[in-house]
């Protein structure tokens, strides 16, 4: 709401006030934020004292994340996806802003457009988050949703190269801004469910604190070089190539998501209900990992068998009927998992 209001206000004021003078409003807004934060800190003091935790050296942290990346394949793919996500967004933003600058040669008109566009983008983000993300997650599943954003970016690059006009640039802006924050970000958050719980924090910190800024710096330098030697068309080709690489990583990430999740389920280190796994992914995991689930059902590990039963109870149980029947006879405790009702309905 704040971004929407600020963007619309800036767009309206830019028609009457030069952008140079509008910038003087920033210190006033920041001062208002500081006053508000000071009031909050006095009104609601902290509930407890903060205690410092032991810190590892940078070298030790890098060695630790190196061991994780070597042992957990999906962690490598998540880091690659973060890098390509940021890099392709930078390329798209460079092309979009270039088209905007060509469409609005007057600085004041450009500032007004940016303000109104900012408000419209925030409204679009709300609509995407409320009306598109959840239905797509339910229909496509997390594995396939890893392809949605990179494919959308690739199409926007092609559109800008074929027709570099204002309407196409606005579409591309919605793709790299709205889709990234409201579709790709939730999907990436769910992808971390397939990383063993003990490593999730380290992988997240590594991606956010190191991969993210490296991607920003590297993509900025590459874009400047490509634009200097080849111009707008060369930057577009770069965007398409990076989108193809992003699509490849998304495809591999989707495949490894299911495998990684099965591995975690076997370890019993994930709370299925908290992760929302049964709602979105149980049926797809049962279809793709049938042999692994059968091994879990037929094995001697009761925890793994219980996990497998919970999954197949929310999926098509036809391939698992014999294994379920054997498990029901061997371990009466599984009657509480709700599978026996579905078995009784079968001829």
């Amino acid at each position: 709401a704040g971004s929407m209001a600020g963007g619309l206000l800036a767009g309206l004021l830019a028609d009457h006030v030069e952008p140079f003078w509008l910038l003087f409003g920033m210190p006033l807004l920041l001062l208002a934020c500081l006053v508000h934060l000071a009031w909050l800190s006095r009104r609601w003091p902290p509930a407890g004292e903060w205690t410092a935790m032991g810190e590892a050296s940078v070298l030790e942290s890098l060695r630790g994340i190196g061991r994780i990346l070597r042992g957990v394949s999906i962690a490598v793919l998540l880091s690659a996806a973060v890098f390509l996500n940021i890099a392709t967004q930078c390329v798209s933003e460079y092309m979009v802003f270039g088209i905007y600058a060509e469409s609005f040669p007057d600085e004041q008109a450009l500032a007004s457009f940016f303000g109104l566009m900012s408000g419209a983008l925030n409204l679009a983000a709300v609509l995407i988050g409320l009306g598109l993300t959840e239905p797509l997650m339910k229909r496509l599943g997390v594995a396939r949703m890893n392809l949605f954003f990179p494919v959308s970016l690739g199409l926007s690059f092609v559109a800008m190269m074929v027709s570099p006009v204002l309407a196409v640039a606005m579409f591309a802006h919605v793709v790299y801004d709205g889709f990234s924050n409201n579709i790709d970000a939730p999907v990436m958050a769910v992808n971390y469910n397939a990383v063993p719980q003990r490593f999730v924090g380290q992988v997240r910190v590594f991606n956010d604190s190191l991969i993210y800024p490296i991607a920003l710096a590297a993509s900025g330098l590459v874009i400047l070089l490509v634009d200097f030697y080849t111009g707008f068309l060369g930057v577009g080709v770069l965007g398409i190539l990076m989108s193809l690489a992003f699509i490849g990583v998304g495809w591999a990430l989707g495949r490894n998501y299911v495998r990684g999740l099965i591995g975690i389920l076997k370890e019993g280190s994930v709370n299925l209900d908290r992760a929302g796994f049964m709602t979105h992914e149980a049926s797809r995991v049962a279809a793709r990992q049938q042999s692994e689930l059968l091994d879990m059902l037929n094995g001697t590990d009761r925890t793994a068998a219980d996990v497998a039963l919970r999954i197949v109870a929310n999926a098509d149980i036809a391939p698992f009927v014999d294994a379920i029947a054997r498990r029901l006879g061997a371990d009466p405790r599984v009657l509480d998992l709700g599978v026996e009702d579905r078995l009784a309905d079968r001829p």
Side-chain angles (χ1 to χ4, degrees):
S3 299
M4 193 184 307
L8 291 174
L9 183 62
L12 294 173
L13 289 176
D15 289 332
H16 310 285
V17 182
E18 292 185 7
F20 174 81
W21 295 108
L22 278 178
L23 292 175
F24 283 96
M26 289 297 297
L28 296 176
L29 290 175
L30 293 174
L31 180 61
C33 290
L34 290 174
V35 171
H36 181 63
L37 290 173
W39 176 78
L40 286 176
S41 64
R42 292 175 61 86
R43 179 68 177 80
W44 286 285
E49 293 295 328
W50 178 81
T51 56
M53 299 178 64
E55 296 183 359
S57 67
V58 175
L59 184 58
E60 291 174 349
S61 298
L62 291 175
R63 287 174 178 170
I65 196 66
R67 287 191 293 269
I68 294 173
L69 294 176
R70 287 193 296 271
V72 183
S73 59
I74 194 170
V76 178
L77 293 170
L78 284 168
S79 297
V82 169
F83 183 92
L84 289 170
N85 184 320
I86 301 305
T88 50
Q89 284 190 67
C90 288
V91 176
S92 182
E93 185 173 68
Y94 190 87
M95 295 180 69
V96 166
F97 283 15
I99 296 174
Y100 287 166
E102 290 289 333
S103 302
F104 296 95
D106 180 69
E107 183 181 275
Q108 194 160 356
L110 181 62
S112 177
F113 171 78
F114 271 136
L116 296 174
M117 189 65 188
S118 175
L121 282 171
N122 283 279
L123 177 60
V126 173
L127 297 177
I128 291 169
L130 293 177
L132 191 60
T133 305
E134 185 66 18
L136 282 174
M137 289 276 279
K138 289 181 178 179
R139 183 175 181 84
L140 299 178
V142 175
R144 292 181 181 176
M145 283 295 291
N146 280 293
L147 296 173
F148 184 88
F149 183 57
V151 169
S152 300
L153 277 172
L155 292 175
S156 70
F157 285 127
V158 172
M160 285 190 287
M161 290 181 65
V162 172
S163 180
V165 297
L166 181 62
V168 173
M170 293 170 67
F171 161 74
H173 202 164
V174 171
V175 168
Y176 85 76
D177 188 285
F179 285 9
S180 172
N181 295 327
N182 297 279
I183 293 181
D184 187 63
V187 172
M188 285 295 290
V190 176
N191 281 326
Y192 281 97
N193 287 335
V195 178
Q197 191 66 32
R198 62 189 180 277
F199 299 140
V200 170
Q202 291 171 275
V203 175
R204 280 184 177 273
V205 170
F206 174 71
N207 289 339
D208 294 341
S209 62
L210 194 61
I211 298 298
Y212 188 99
I214 288 176
L216 283 175
S219 58
L221 291 173
V222 171
I223 290 169
L224 286 176
L225 289 174
V226 172
D227 185 55
F228 180 79
Y229 287 106
T230 63
F232 183 86
L233 185 62
V235 176
V237 172
L238 173 66
I240 291 175
L241 293 175
M242 295 179 70
S243 295
L244 292 174
F246 196 4
I247 290 170
V249 170
W251 176 80
L253 191 57
R255 290 179 62 86
N256 280 269
Y257 169 78
V258 179
R259 294 172 182 171
L261 200 54
I262 284 289
I264 293 177
L265 296 176
K266 287 180 178 179
E267 294 178 2
S269 60
V270 66
N271 184 329
L272 301 183
D273 297 324
R274 177 184 61 80
F277 171 76
M278 293 303 176
T279 304
H280 299 297
E281 293 300 313
S283 60
R284 289 180 175 83
V285 168
R288 296 184 182 185
Q289 304 292 328
Q290 181 177 327
S291 60
E292 287 87 347
L293 288 171
L294 285 172
D295 290 341
M296 293 166 70
L297 287 170
N298 293 322
T300 58
D301 184 350
R302 284 187 171 184
T303 301
D306 288 351
V307 168
L309 282 166
R310 291 185 64 187
I311 295 173
V312 301
N314 291 270
D316 179 15
I317 65 171
F320 308 99
V321 170
D322 293 338
I324 292 172
R326 285 193 295 271
R327 177 57 60 177
L328 287 172
D331 188 357
R333 295 183 311 107
V334 302
L335 293 175
D336 295 331
L337 297 175
V339 184
E340 75 285 0
D341 295 331
R342 297 192 61 193
L343 276 177
D345 294 335
R346 296 186 61 84

